[in-house]
Amino acid sequence: MSPAPVELRTIDQWIALMGAAQLPVLATTLREIARMRADEENVRPRDLAQVVLHDPLMAVRVLRLIKEKQAGRGSTEITTVEHAIMMLGVSPFFRAISKLRSVDADLAKNNAALLGLMGVIGRARHATMHAREWAQLRYDIDSDEVVIATLLHDLAEMLLWYFAPALASQIEVRLVEDPALRSADVQHDVLGFTLNELQLAVAAAWQLPPILTSLMDSYRAEHPRARNVLCAVNLVRHAANGWEDPALPDDIQGVCKLLGRPRLEVRQRIFHTALAAGLDHAWYGERTRAAWLPPFPLEFDTGDLPPGPRTSSRLLEKVEKELVIDNDSGLLAWSTSGVPSERTPAPALPAIVALVFYGLYKGLGLARQAYFAVEETGLFARARYLGGVRNSARLSTALLPLGMASPTTRELAEQGALWWKGSADSRPPTDLPNIWRSCSGHGFFACMIRTGDGRGGLLLADAEELSMKLTENQFFEFRKMADLLSLKLAGPIPELEPPEAPPA
């Protein structure tokens, strides 16, 4: 796949370029479909639809495929993936998609493009989970249409990352450097049109169902169903900058208005849906950006104060108490109070790490938190979850070496914890691995974590760019929190049985 020439300036030229290409799908989608095909007789359309709804690129192919099959028949418009697969038939569906390429292979030599594309796709999946719940709460009898419209809402942005990653990256960089800029203005400046305009043109050219096109149109969100889509898309887009993005309070207020429910319940629902979305991380590849974990939806220590780190011994004790409870009922009761139990997700790593982040942020004042999962080789730890201030995004693709070559990683491996004191540290900055130097301004804490799978993890926290100086007490409490996290994830350290005495 060759990148699109940057001189293309009209929507018609872009449509011609995109229409001539065979759109690839995610490698995970291909693997899941191959696995299901091996047991074809027991596969239902609903099972296949659940796979497709993780992958907007595959969803587009399915909708276009059923449109081709129906050409000239005057049949009823099919607007959902499950209905399309049911009309095609399971076996014909498998045959029709037997020669698809993977986007992972196409972009294997352009990691930045693959990261950008996976970021938009992961956002789309996350948004569909919110949109589905809100549609069901509104008793929308066609909630699947809302879901597919949400999944495809940012299709134009996905196509841009695939066909012209340099232009997509230029737009992203400009918006990150100046958050006050309007996305549409930057898009028009770079492309000559907005992504919403390209989106509608693609939908028309590829003959997507008109009802989906109307729900995907950001400029026609006056209808409650279209507003459902837009609220979910906006919430997740802003949350991708961190859960303290200044636009999120207005997003949440919009959801409250849409659902007619109190703000606390809405925040609780957003919290556990965002955690559930984090469980999909592996679908989009281990190399995808770390997921932002939402803050706990109870701010009992801060009242109406603006978001930000706090120092609260009362909250710290509360978090520590939750971590030492043998089961997770207390954690769930606290984090999802007021949400119907049948909608509550099972306790999982994201929920427990979110609780720890909350304690570090609101209890110790540590403004930036990151959890790294150790890779199978044990040589590297990759950023998996982020928390705290927006600047945590610096660590979103961090890969920390855990070998013994660096003095600091050797110290961490031998002692299990590390306090780097920044400019006041007696050790030279060259002792730090390169990626750690971005955290070293005012110092940081790091601690190894035991996990149930035996691979381990790493917890990192610092005061970010705040002037607060790290203290011995903070380091003690940080290590205590890390130990409780290990206890929660892997249980107590097993006692070694004494060796048997040699036979006389």
Side-chain angles (χ1 to χ4, degrees):
M1 193 275 300
S2 300
V6 295
E7 63 269 16
L8 295 184
R9 296 298 292 179
T10 70
I11 289 181
D12 288 343
Q13 289 175 317
W14 284 96
I15 294 297
L17 172 73
M18 295 170 177
Q22 290 294 318
L23 202 62
V25 300
L26 298 182
T28 309
T29 304
L30 295 180
R31 286 194 297 270
E32 285 297 305
I33 289 176
R35 179 185 62 79
M36 298 175 80
R37 190 171 190 176
D39 189 26
E40 185 174 323
E41 292 183 358
N42 295 315
V43 175
R44 302 170 301 168
R46 180 174 292 272
D47 301 327
L48 283 169
Q50 291 307 308
V51 172
V52 174
L53 288 175
H54 283 81
D55 184 350
L57 301 177
M58 186 64 173
V60 168
R61 292 199 68 111
V62 171
L63 292 176
R64 295 183 71 184
L65 180 61
I66 192 63
K67 189 69 177 181
E68 292 170 4
K69 295 292 184 182
Q70 288 186 315
R73 298 182 186 179
S75 304
T76 303
E77 194 82 66
I78 294 177
T79 58
T80 68
V81 169
E82 183 178 350
H83 190 190
I85 296 174
M86 185 170 61
M87 294 300 292
L88 289 167
V90 171
S91 294
F93 170 82
F94 281 131
R95 289 195 298 269
I97 57 138
S98 60
K99 296 181 180 179
L100 296 184
R101 303 190 321 276
S102 86
V103 70
D104 309 61
D106 281 4
L107 297 180
K109 295 182 179 179
N110 191 338
N111 192 56
L114 186 59
L115 273 175
L117 176 59
M118 290 299 188
V120 183
I121 291 176
R123 268 191 357 232
R125 169 64 181 177
H126 182 177
T128 65
M129 298 174 72
H130 289 294
R132 181 184 295 279
E133 180 181 33
W134 301 342
Q136 291 171 346
L137 289 172
R138 293 184 54 254
Y139 302 103
D140 190 328
I141 60 174
D142 293 317
S143 61
D144 285 350
E145 290 180 352
V146 171
V147 170
I148 192 68
T150 306
L151 186 70
L152 301 184
H153 185 278
D154 289 336
L155 177 63
E157 187 175 354
M158 300 173 207
L159 295 175
L160 194 66
W161 275 109
Y162 179 72
F163 287 101
L167 297 179
S169 180
Q170 185 180 341
I171 293 171
E172 181 181 69
V173 168
R174 288 179 60 176
L175 291 173
V176 169
E177 290 178 347
D178 187 355
L181 291 174
R182 293 182 68 249
S183 299
D185 292 340
V186 177
Q187 294 161 10
H188 197 279
D189 188 36
V190 173
L191 300 173
F193 48 82
T194 68
L195 286 177
N196 188 70
E197 291 168 340
L198 178 60
Q199 176 92 359
L200 298 179
V202 168
W206 291 358
Q207 297 184 309
L208 298 183
I211 182 62
L212 297 185
T213 303
S214 67
L215 292 177
M216 290 188 293
D217 186 354
S218 296
Y219 297 130
R220 298 175 59 186
E222 68 281 353
H223 191 281
R225 302 182 78 214
R227 198 159 68 247
N228 189 343
V229 173
L230 189 60
C231 281
V233 169
N234 285 343
L235 175 81
V236 173
R237 178 184 286 116
H238 295 141
N241 298 324
W243 287 89
E244 291 197 348
D245 187 284
L248 280 170
D250 288 341
D251 292 337
I252 293 172
Q253 186 59 38
V255 179
C256 294
K257 185 176 180 180
L258 174 73
L259 301 180
R261 292 175 182 253
R263 189 177 184 86
L264 177 58
E265 181 187 337
V266 167
R267 290 183 60 211
Q268 289 161 346
R269 289 183 179 277
I270 289 172
F271 172 78
H272 68 72
T273 301
L275 291 185
L279 299 177
D280 276 338
H281 188 274
W283 191 282
Y284 305 108
E286 286 299 319
R287 294 176 183 245
T288 52
R289 288 184 172 94
W292 282 96
L293 292 183
F296 263 67
L298 292 183
E299 299 282 353
F300 62 85
D301 65 317
T302 60
D304 295 327
L305 293 176
R310 302 282 184 269
T311 302
S312 167
S313 58
R314 177 170 169 256
L315 187 142
L316 193 63
E317 291 172 2
K318 175 69 174 177
V319 171
E320 291 174 349
K321 180 180 178 181
E322 290 291 330
L323 287 171
V324 298
I325 295 175
D326 289 338
N327 59 62
D328 293 294
S329 59
L331 167 64
L332 289 181
W334 185 34
S335 62
T336 59
S337 174
V339 177
S341 59
E342 64 270 20
R343 303 293 301 161
T344 303
L349 176 63
I352 299 169
V353 174
L355 175 63
V356 170
F357 283 0
Y358 190 79
L360 295 176
Y361 197 51
K362 300 294 187 181
L364 282 178
L366 298 174
R368 177 166 55 179
Q369 316 94 40
Y371 177 87
F372 294 78
V374 177
E375 296 194 333
E376 195 169 354
T377 62
L379 299 178
F380 295 94
R382 190 177 297 276
R384 183 71 175 83
Y385 298 117
L386 301 176
V389 295
R390 182 173 182 141
N391 210 20
S392 302
R394 287 186 184 180
L395 300 172
S396 63
T397 58
L399 186 67
L400 301 181
L402 296 179
M404 304 300 283
S406 165
T408 49
T409 54
R410 182 165 59 247
E411 177 183 341
L412 183 61
E414 292 173 352
Q415 300 186 16
L418 171 72
W419 176 7
W420 183 268
K421 298 183 179 179
S423 58
D425 203 284
S426 60
R427 296 162 289 191
T430 51
D431 282 3
L432 287 175
N434 288 338
I435 189 63
W436 285 28
R437 293 177 193 174
S438 68
C439 307
S440 64
H442 297 289
F444 64 85
F445 301 144
C447 193
M448 298 302 297
I449 304 296
R450 292 182 299 109
T451 58
D453 60 10
R455 290 167 62 175
L458 185 143
L459 184 65
L460 185 145
D462 67 10
E464 204 260 342
E465 300 299 329
L466 304 180
S467 58
M468 182 183 72
K469 185 177 180 180
L470 300 179
T471 66
E472 290 281 356
N473 181 65
Q474 283 178 310
F475 187 47
F476 171 81
E477 293 292 348
F478 171 81
R479 293 193 63 173
K480 182 178 179 182
M481 191 82 71
D483 289 343
L484 291 174
L485 176 58
S486 292
L487 188 67
K488 195 75 169 178
L489 296 179
I493 300 175
E495 295 184 8
L496 298 176
E497 296 183 4
E500 295 182 5

